[in-house]
Amino acid sequence: MIKFTDEKLKKVQEIVARYPEGRQKSALLPVLHLAQDEFGGWLSPETMDYVAGLLKLEPIEVYEVATFYSMYNLKPVGRFVFEVCQTGPCMLRGSDQIVDYIKQRLGIGVGETTPDGLFSLKTVECLGACGYAPMMQLGKYYREHLTKEKVDSIIDECRQNAALNN
Amino acid sequence: MGRQLLLEKIKVEGIRGYETYRREGGYRSVEKALKTMTPDQVTDEVKKSGLRGRGGAGFPTGMKWSFLAKPEGVPRYLVCNADESEPGTFKDRYLMEFLPHLLIEGLIVSSYALGCKRTYIYIRGEYAWIPEILETAIAEAKAAGWLGQNILGTGFELEIYVQVGAGAYICGEETALLESLEGKRGNPRIKPPFPAIKGLWDCPTVVNNVETLAAVVPILNFGGEEYAKIGIGKSTGTKLLSACGNINKPGVYEIDMTISVEEFIFSDEYCGGIANGKRLKACIPGGSSVPILPANLLLKTAKGETRLMNYESLSDGGFAKGSMMGSGGFIVLDEDQCVVRHTLTLARFYRHESCGQCSPCREGTGWMEKILRNIENGKGKSSDIDLLWDIQRKIEGNTICPLGDAAAWPVAAAIRHFRDEFEWHVNNPVECLTRNYGLAHYADPLTPVTA
Ligand SMILES: Cc1cc2nc3c(=O)[nH]c(=O)nc-3n(C[C@H](O)[C@H](O)[C@H](O)COP(=O)(O)O)c2cc1C
Ligand code: SF4
Ligand code: FES
């Protein structure tokens, strides 16, 4: 059974209180973020139904939103998702080469996950870091001014992190 | 160094925190507005300042505020647009990350002018570390009595909330943003009614960009007339530019809008010239949606006058020979870059971001991407170039929101100014896979430019 901890439920209440009476639907995007973080990094149908129940919405209202926004994962993803920007300004600074290098290092293509479930590679559109290109998002933070060496050290860092937290 | 109204204190140690910000003169504009001015007087100062919206369209802010409907008993809302997703644009991020209190201060004064009690900052979801910074600033401001009930004993009350998006460029369009803030898909609304009449939860609403709202602080501090003295013509005050691409010093710069484009690119104070000693080929001066210009038309207008970094000068010559200030996302291409490939990435971007409501935009952006991909990969026909031109014309002006235009313009401008390069791809399907056209020829005669 899917259920938020009491602490997260309190957070949901706090979010709902930001809007006028009866406008709790506005809490949907923030609560879906919370749910994705809490329940394995993606939104399963059960997770979405749970959120619908919490916010007193029809499940379809939640599916509609979850499928519109690119940050919601509708399938499980690797533990570390490399989201490399490939839009114009990043392309000008060599993002294509960075994507190729990551593919080669991880042995996967764009949209794929390594067999050990550790890494996924995604290409994304402009993340508002064009001046610090090439770049990628890794979890909450950006990794900017990427080079092959930097990519190597990020991969090592993730592996170490995974070994420590297993 | 030009006049710094927004970024002056950004390097001061600790300025992100309340104590330092206040010590450096922060929140004076709130005291001034709440204690000595009526809301309408604040709006008047903003009108006098000539401030134009910094989100892209450049609409006069004071005028926008004066359109806000004020029916009795109906709440009004101010929404700060921090969705910042236009390729090339990263200035709002810089402001929010390092000077969060400046935005909060601007929001308090603006909310006072508009009579709002709840104000939302809608920030793109990918900026995942910034909401905490903003929420900390909000909590500090509240603890110091600038937010909450009965602020400064004046009876004015205000709460500011941060709302996080989830990855959709279209949510930067103001009506899509409001839909998203209501917990729905980001489908733009048909206008009218405009948000000033029927916006968030059907209530009168003003949507303004982060930089616009931050600029309200110096306007109040110096007075609208003083602010209007900075700059030229209808380009008053200072503007943040986010510079990127093949330059030596990418970053966010505050300019007063009197400097030339040439100075902005080549001066060490700003972009520091083209990287790796290369020559300048082209530039998109105002974010991915505005027309690309080849070097000669970028530095000089069609009339041969020096082009300045301001609204009027950048758009001088219309779309045939000019561009736009847009969001201030300044993207520079060096002599070795491929315009076709660059345009392809932008076409892909707009296809990805189209909300799909209007068929010209939904279908047209997909077509443009496919054709450009073919041309870039040596599979194009010469009729494809005309077809591309046709498609962009059929999108422009035929859609619910301006994303359609924004997708059409970059393609149109690339063909207009760099048709030779498209033709070269078509005529040299093998060679174009291994080398770029570079500076070879231009549809416009070009004098190569170096520092
Ligand atoms: C597709 C599209 C995306 C937009 N994205 C943004 C954005 O990220 N940030 C922004 O401030 N304005 C954006 N705008 C402009 C807004 O619709 C609106 O004009 C702006 O927020 C008004 O603020 P201003 O008057 O202060 O510029 C976008 C417009 C369109 C059509
Ligand atoms: S123009 Fe495109 S993005 Fe705008 S409403 Fe139509 S389909 Fe959606
Ligand atoms: S183009 Fe990559 S962050 Fe903007």
Side-chain angles (χ1 to χ4, degrees), chain B residues 47-60:
Chain B
K47 270 191 189 157
K48 279 188 228 156
S49 75
L51 175 68
R52 297 171 65 172
R54 304 298 197 222
F59 192 82

Side-chain angles (χ1 to χ4, degrees), chain B residues 15-283:
Chain B
I15 196 75
R16 202 191 254 177
Y18 174 74
E19 291 303 328
T20 309
Y21 183 77
R22 175 72 176 143
R23 189 163 5 96
E24 293 287 333
Y27 290 96
R28 272 181 304 151
S29 71
V30 178
E31 276 176 321
K32 183 169 175 184
L34 268 59
K35 288 192 176 156
T36 69
M37 297 166 79
T38 65
D40 286 345
Q41 282 171 332
V42 175
T43 302
D44 277 343
E45 286 307 310
V46 174
K47 270 191 189 157
K48 279 188 228 156
S49 75
L51 175 68
R52 297 171 65 172
R54 304 298 197 222
F59 192 82
T61 306
M63 202 188 299
K64 186 182 217 171
W65 288 10
S66 63
F67 293 154
L68 184 69
K70 296 183 175 155
E72 272 301 311
V74 180
R76 308 189 276 273
Y77 295 102
L78 171 64
V79 179
C80 171
N81 190 340
D83 194 54
E84 191 167 69
S85 318
E86 168 102 349
T89 316
F90 47 97
K91 64 187 176 74
D92 297 338
R93 164 188 171 186
Y94 188 61
L95 259 186
M96 292 187 287
E97 199 171 346
F98 298 106
L99 271 178
H101 279 287
L102 182 67
L103 175 60
I104 305 305
E105 182 177 352
L107 284 172
I108 299 171
V109 175
S110 307
S111 303
Y112 173 71
L114 298 168
C116 308
K117 294 182 186 164
R118 280 179 205 247
T119 286
Y120 297 91
I121 304 173
Y122 182 97
I123 183 168
R124 69 178 298 177
E126 292 90 342
Y127 287 170
W129 68 99
I130 298 181
E132 259 169 50
I133 297 174
L134 293 172
E135 274 162 359
T136 304
I138 291 168
E140 287 174 339
K142 194 163 175 178
W146 303 104
L147 286 169
Q149 302 285 323
N150 195 19
I151 301 168
L152 302 182
T154 60
F156 176 59
E157 59 172 281
L158 177 67
E159 297 292 343
I160 298 176
Y161 301 104
V162 181
Q163 177 87 358
V164 179
Y169 166 66
I170 191 58
C171 292
E173 194 280 333
E174 56 184 10
T175 61
L177 188 157
L178 297 176
E179 287 285 299
S180 183
L181 185 44
E182 292 181 4
K184 303 179 204 154
R185 296 167 77 99
N187 288 336
R189 300 174 182 170
I190 293 175
K191 297 192 252 190
F194 289 91
I197 311 295
K198 224 174 156 191
L200 183 60
W201 303 305
D202 287 340
C203 299
T205 303
V206 165
V207 180
N208 273 134
N209 173 258
V210 171
E211 184 190 345
T212 310
L213 293 164
V216 171
V217 173
I219 289 171
L220 264 272
N221 285 338
F222 297 114
E225 268 164 36
E226 279 303 306
Y227 184 90
K229 285 184 192 155
I230 304 166
I232 294 181
K234 291 204 168 73
S235 299
T236 61
T238 61
K239 174 86 188 84
L240 297 184
L241 299 177
S242 56
C244 59
N246 308 118
I247 46 176
N248 281 317
K249 291 170 54 197
V252 178
Y253 298 100
E254 180 168 8
I255 60 157
D256 86 37
M257 289 184 271
T258 58
I259 66 168
S260 69
V261 176
E262 184 163 2
E263 179 180 354
F264 184 65
I265 297 180
F266 292 105
S267 148
D268 276 336
E269 202 177 309
Y270 305 108
C271 304
I274 309 300
N276 305 313
K278 292 189 181 169
R279 288 179 294 176
L280 169 66
K281 174 170 177 172
C283 171

Side-chain angles (χ1 to χ4, degrees), chain B residues 295-336:
Chain B
N296 58 333
L297 278 176
L298 176 71
L299 303 182
K300 294 250 190 299
T301 65
K303 287 175 248 154
E305 290 162 1
T306 301
R307 203 182 283 279
L308 304 180
M309 272 312 314
N310 65 42
Y311 291 93
E312 291 93 335
S313 187
L314 282 172
S315 53
D316 189 294
F319 274 10
K321 306 232 153 141
S323 186
M324 276 167 82
M325 178 68 128
S327 62
F330 196 84
I331 311 168
V332 178
L333 282 71
D334 72 31
E335 58 182 305
D336 291 333

